[in-house]
Amino acid sequence: MTQEEVSLEARLEEQESFDPPESFVEQANVSDPEIYAEFEDEWPECWERAADLLSWDSEYDTVLDDDDEPFYEWFTGGELNASANCLDRHVEEGAKNRAAIKWEGELGETRTYTYGELLNEVEAFAATLRDRGVEEDDVVTLYMPMIPELPIAMLACARLGAPHSVVFAGFSADALATRMNAAESEYLVTCDGYYRRGDALDHISKANEGLEGVEHEVSDVVVVDRLGDALTHSLADNQHDYDELVAEHAGASVEPVSRDAEDMLFLMYTSGTTGEPKGVKHTTGGYLSYAAWTSHSVLDIKPEDTYWCSADIGWITGHSYIVYGPLALGTTTMMYEGTPDYPTKDRLWEIIEKNRVDVFYTAPTAIRAFMKWGKQYPAEHDLSSLRLLGTVGEPINPRAWKWYYKHIGNEECPIVDTWWQTETGGMMITTLPAINTMKPGSAGPPLPGIDAQVVDAAGEEVEAGKAGYVTVDKPWPGMLRTLYNNDDRFLEEYWQEYSDPDADEWVYFPEDGAKIDDDGYITILGRVDDVLNVSGHRLGTMEIESAVVGVEGIAEAAVVGGDHEVKGEAVYVYAIPEDGYEGGDDLEAKAEDAINDSIGPIARPESVIFTPELPKTRSGKIMRRLLEDIASGNDLGSTSTLRNPEIVEEIAGQVEAD
Ligand code: PRX
C-alpha cells in the first residue's frame, strides 16, 4: 500500500459515522426528515402512502382493521391483483419495452424480458396452470433455482389468485415433501437442473424423490428444461414440459383475478424452534404495498434503474426485493443463476459493470467472502454506476461494512443495513439512505411508522447501551397474518412473550437480541431462540438434531452455532454414540448424510463431535451456551453449575483437535 492508502485506511477505521453524499440526497425518493413525525402523527393512515404505490381494482374502506388482535387486517375492502401491479399497469403506462428482468446464467448466457414479454410469458403460463386445473386459492409449490421461470411462475400464480409456496432449490427432497404436505399442495413446478460452478446439477431426481414423500395425490408437475442435452430425464404421466405447455398457450390472455386485499399471496416456510417449519402467510394488499414502499423509500428504486439483489428467490429477500417490490415499481431487476466466484472471483463486479447496476443489495456473509478474496477483484471493474448499497440477513461487523463502503461504493454510496424477517414481509429497522447518518454495525432507527424498541425481560425499555430484545408494538401492513393452518402456533410464537391480552396489548416478538444507543439506533445482536443464522439463512437446531438422532448408532445430539469468519455462524453437532457404537468417521459421515437428506447442503456441519456425555445442568438441561462457546473457541468461564463439569474439557479438547 502507498502511504496515502495507509492513512486512508486508518481514517476509515476510526470513523464511526458517515453521512449520505449530497448528490444522493438530491435525487432520493424520500429525503424529508419530517417523514418520521408525519408517520407518527398520521398513524395508521400514513400507510396509505404505501397503498398508493399500487393500482387497486376497488378502493379499500379501512386502512387497519384491529377488531380481532393480533389477527390484524390491512386495506380491508380493497381488491387488487399482484401480477397486474407488477406487469399490466407498467405496460399500459408505456413501459412495454423496458427491461423487467435481466437474467444471467452461470455459463454466461443472458436473457432479457421486457415488461411486455414478461406479461406475455406470465399469461401463457397462467393459462397453462389454469388448464391443468389450478384454481383460486390452490397452493402451487415452486421448487426452482434462479432461473427466470421462477418469477414467471410466481406471477402466473398471483394472476390466478393461487398462492405460491416457493421451496429453496438447495433444500432436500424431504424438505420439499414436508412443505408440500403441510400446504396440501397438489401442484409442483420444478426444473431438470441448473449450473453450479460449471457443473450441470440434477434437480429433477431430488424433486421426484420428494414427490414420493407427498402424502396426498399430486395432480400435475411442470418441469422446466433448463439444461437441455446436458441432462436427460424422463417425465412421468402427470409431468409436463414447461416449454411445450407455454408454446401451446402462446398469446393467451388471462384476466388477472381481483383478490381481496387480505387474500393470501404466498406462503413461505421458515425454521422455528420446533422441528416443524412454519408456514408464514402473506397477503396480497398489505404485503405488496409494504414491499413496494420499502423498495421505494429504503432501496430508492426508480423505474429507470437497473437494480440487483443477489439473494435467492427461494428466501423471503428474493420474494420481496427481487420480484415483488422492484417489479411493482416498474424497474429492471437482475437475476444471476450461479455462484459469485465462478469462473473467477470478480463475477459479481463484472455483472455490475456490464449492466450498469444502480443499486446493489447483498448479505454480509457475501461481503466477508469478498473481503477474504481481496480488493483487487472489484478494483478491476468500473463500479461507478452504483448509487446505493444494501445488506440484509445478519449483523454486519464494522470492518466488513467499511470494506463494502470503500471498495464497492467508492465512499460515494450510502449503505442501508436492513433488519427484517420472513415474518415481517419487508424491512423494519434501517436508516433511510438520504436522511440518516450511518453508523457501521448498527442497522439504524426503526422505519417511519414502525414502532420497534429494545426491552428487557419484563418488557421495559432498556437504557442506551444495555442488551435486550427487539419488540414491535404496532402492526404494519407487511406483517404475516398467521401461520398456515395454525393460528395457535402463530399466537404462541410471536405474541405470547410480551403481550397482555387482558389489557388488549399486543406486542410482536421477533426473537432477536439487540442494543439501542442514545440516538435510537438499534444494533441487532442475533437470535435468542434455537435458530441459527448460517450465511444469512435461518436454520432450526431442532430440525438438524432430529435428523442426527435418526441415525442408527447415535443416541443423543445437540446442535449449536459457533462463530465462523465467513458464514457468521456455522453448525456444530455434538453427538453421543449408542452403546456398542464408536464415534468416528463412519458415524460422522452418516450424520452428515442425514442432515443433507433432511435439510440440504446449507446445513452441512462444520464439525461433528462425539462425546460420551453432553454438559448438563443439575436439572438435566443441556448447556447450549457452553457448547456454543466451545465451538466458537471462547473462554468457558465457570462450569461449577454443571452436573458433569469434567466432560467440558474433554469436548473442548476434541474441538481444538478437529
Ligand atoms: O436474526 C435476524 C437476522 O435474520 C433473521 C430473519 O431471518 P429470515 O426470516 O430468514 O430473513 C432473512 C432476511 C430478511 C432475523 O430475526 N437478520 C436479518 N437482517 C438482519 C439480521 N440481523 C442483523 N442485521 C440485519 N440487517
Side-chain angles (χ1 to χ4, degrees):
M1 274 199 282
T2 63
Q3 199 54 40
E4 201 184 345
E5 276 177 332
V6 171
S7 65
L8 202 72
E9 292 279 338
R11 177 195 35 81
L12 206 59
E13 206 166 299
E14 275 171 24
Q15 194 171 337
E16 283 174 2
S17 67
F18 296 77
D19 286 319
E22 201 46 46
S23 55
F24 181 87
V25 177
E26 276 164 10
Q27 60 77 57
N29 286 340
V30 174
S31 56
D32 183 355
E34 280 304 305
I35 189 166
Y36 288 94
E38 287 165 9
F39 266 62
E40 205 170 325
D41 295 346
E42 294 164 25
W43 199 92
E45 277 72 33
C46 54
W47 290 113
E48 288 180 12
R49 297 198 206 189
D52 285 349
L53 292 172
L54 304 181
S55 298
W56 295 77
D57 299 337
S58 37
E59 275 303 309
Y60 50 88
D61 327 301
T62 314
V63 173
L64 168 65
D65 175 346
D66 57 3
D67 282 352
D68 182 20
E69 292 174 287
F71 296 93
Y72 299 97
E73 298 192 346
W74 287 88
F75 310 123
T76 50
E79 288 185 334
L80 76 168
N81 181 282
S83 100
N85 268 282
C86 290
L87 301 169
D88 307 51
R89 63 172 179 153
H90 305 312
V91 171
E92 282 154 22
E93 285 162 14
K96 184 168 168 242
N97 296 323
R98 185 188 305 146
I101 295 180
K102 275 180 139 187
W103 174 84
E104 184 159 322
E106 203 188 59
L107 301 185
E109 69 272 52
T110 56
R111 269 196 254 168
T112 298
Y113 292 83
T114 64
Y115 273 93
E117 288 163 345
L118 190 60
L119 174 58
N120 289 341
E121 183 92 8
V122 166
E123 285 196 274
F125 193 53
T128 299
L129 290 175
R130 196 176 51 188
D131 256 23
R132 313 271 17 133
V134 174
E135 291 178 2
E136 205 176 337
D137 295 321
D138 286 343
V139 177
V140 178
T141 303
L142 310 177
Y143 185 43
M144 278 189 273
M146 290 292 284
I147 54 176
E149 287 80 1
L150 176 53
I152 288 166
M154 290 164 78
L155 293 167
C157 288
R159 199 163 190 87
L160 299 175
H164 50 73
S165 166
V166 178
V167 178
F168 174 58
F171 274 141
S172 67
D174 280 3
L176 170 66
T178 311
R179 286 156 179 73
M180 285 188 77
N181 285 329
E184 292 160 349
S185 171
E186 294 174 6
Y187 298 90
L188 174 69
V189 186
T190 185
C191 70
D192 59 345
Y194 52 105
Y195 288 100
R196 255 314 162 275
R197 292 184 204 284
D199 293 332
L201 274 197
D202 177 1
H203 187 63
I204 184 77
S205 303
K206 211 165 62 163
N208 283 333
E209 202 188 312
L211 285 167
E212 282 170 24
V214 178
E215 287 150 8
H216 51 269
E217 197 185 329
V218 174
S219 43
D220 280 274
V221 179
V222 179
V223 183
V224 176
D225 184 2
R226 157 77 186 109
L227 294 178
D229 293 340
L231 184 98
T232 45
H233 61 96
S234 52
L235 297 175
D237 284 348
N238 70 340
Q239 300 190 327
H240 317 278
D241 178 70
Y242 174 95
D243 290 324
E244 279 176 26
L245 293 180
V246 166
E248 277 168 28
H249 293 86
S253 156
V254 177
E255 266 305 293
V257 172
S258 269
R259 297 281 277 169
D260 189 280
E262 280 296 309
D263 280 342
M264 172 157 61
L265 177 61
F266 67 85
L267 267 179
M268 166 121 261
Y269 283 88
T270 187
S271 296
T273 7
T274 71
E276 208 44 31
K278 308 187 277 196
V280 170
K281 174 181 161 182
H282 281 297
T283 57
T284 313
Y287 168 83
L288 194 64
S289 311
Y290 200 68
W293 167 253
T294 45
S295 298
H296 170 83
S297 59
V298 182
L299 295 172
D300 196 47
I301 291 177
K302 319 217 169 29
E304 55 280 12
D305 282 341
T306 297
Y307 157 82
W308 187 19
C309 164
S310 72
D312 191 293
I313 295 176
W315 307 98
I316 192 71
T317 306
H319 277 53
S320 302
Y321 300 113
I322 298 178
V323 183
Y324 286 113
L327 292 179
L329 297 182
T331 197
T332 301
T333 184
M334 298 273 323
M335 278 178 76
Y336 169 55
E337 178 186 38
T339 45
D341 53 350
Y342 186 83
T344 45
K345 293 188 169 72
D346 63 342
R347 185 65 188 265
L348 302 194
W349 320 129
E350 183 196 282
I351 294 175
I352 290 178
E353 178 174 17
K354 200 169 62 188
N355 294 283
R356 308 292 301 152
V357 170
D358 299 273
V359 177
F360 180 59
Y361 190 35
T362 193
T365 183
I367 298 168
R368 291 192 296 266
F370 304 148
M371 272 175 83
K372 222 173 145 188
W373 298 338
K375 61 182 185 212
Q376 66 276 21
Y377 293 104
E380 283 164 18
H381 295 275
D382 174 7
L383 305 180
S384 62
S385 59
L386 290 169
R387 173 176 92 240
L388 174 68
L389 301 172
T391 74
V392 58
E394 40 170 338
I396 179 162
N397 47 312
R399 241 187 95 227
W401 192 102
K402 288 175 185 178
W403 190 94
Y404 194 35
Y405 186 70
K406 179 163 192 287
H407 298 291
I408 308 304
N410 193 29
E411 302 190 53
E412 283 163 358
C413 304
I415 296 179
V416 282
D417 169 358
T418 61
W419 176 88
W420 58 292
Q421 310 179 292
T422 305
E423 291 87 343
T424 69
M427 301 156 175
M428 300 285 284
I429 301 177
T430 168
T431 50
L432 280 170
I435 298 179
N436 309 109
T437 297
M438 296 162 271
K439 300 186 191 182
S442 175
L447 279 173
I450 298 298
D451 191 9
Q453 50 289 111
V454 180
V455 300
D456 61 19
E460 297 299 323
E461 287 192 32
V462 296
E463 281 170 41
K466 292 255 160 56
Y469 307 94
V470 182
T471 50
V472 189
D473 275 9
K474 289 193 184 120
W476 64 100
M479 68 197 302
L480 80 163
R481 296 303 190 265
T482 191
L483 293 176
Y484 193 56
N485 283 339
N486 207 341
D487 288 347
D488 289 344
R489 190 168 175 202
F490 169 68
L491 293 172
E492 270 162 38
E493 294 262 359
Y494 308 105
W495 304 97
Q496 196 155 287
E497 206 76 25
Y498 287 101
S499 302
D500 182 358
D502 295 335
D504 246 359
E505 275 174 25
W506 293 93
V507 178
Y508 174 80
F509 181 44
E511 304 199 80
D512 267 5
K515 295 190 297 192
I516 190 159
D517 73 7
D518 287 327
D519 299 323
Y521 276 48
I522 295 176
T523 297
I524 304 292
L525 301 171
R527 304 284 312 182
V528 293
D529 56 1
D530 293 327
V531 168
L532 307 184
N533 190 331
V534 177
S535 301
H537 299 317
R538 208 160 134 178
L539 298 175
T541 51
M542 295 301 166
E543 285 168 74
I544 309 177
E545 273 169 26
S546 68
V548 175
V549 293
V551 173
E552 195 193 319
I554 293 185
E556 197 182 344
V559 170
V560 301
D563 296 344
H564 189 278
E565 194 191 345
V566 174
K567 296 179 183 172
E569 233 176 345
V571 176
Y572 280 81
V573 178
Y574 296 88
I576 306 181
E578 267 173 41
D579 273 352
Y581 285 87
E582 288 244 340
D585 291 349
D586 189 38
L587 217 47
E588 178 168 347
K590 282 193 182 143
E592 284 179 359
D593 287 349
I595 294 171
N596 200 49
D597 290 347
S598 103
I599 301 157
I602 40 164
R604 188 195 316 278
E606 193 67 17
S607 192
V608 181
I609 300 121
F610 290 101
T611 164
E613 276 176 59
L614 291 167
K616 289 195 176 160
T617 58
R618 295 216 171 90
S619 60
K621 256 186 95 186
I622 297 174
M623 283 282 279
R624 289 173 178 280
R625 283 266 159 244
L626 202 62
L627 293 173
E628 283 167 11
D629 283 338
I630 296 174
S632 304
N634 295 342
D635 191 6
L636 299 183
S638 165
T639 53
S640 61
T641 55
L642 288 183
R643 190 161 67 184
N644 49 355
E646 67 291 343
I647 199 69
V648 174
E649 263 179 42
E650 194 178 322
I651 304 178
Q654 275 197 56
V655 175
E656 268 169 33
D658 230 42

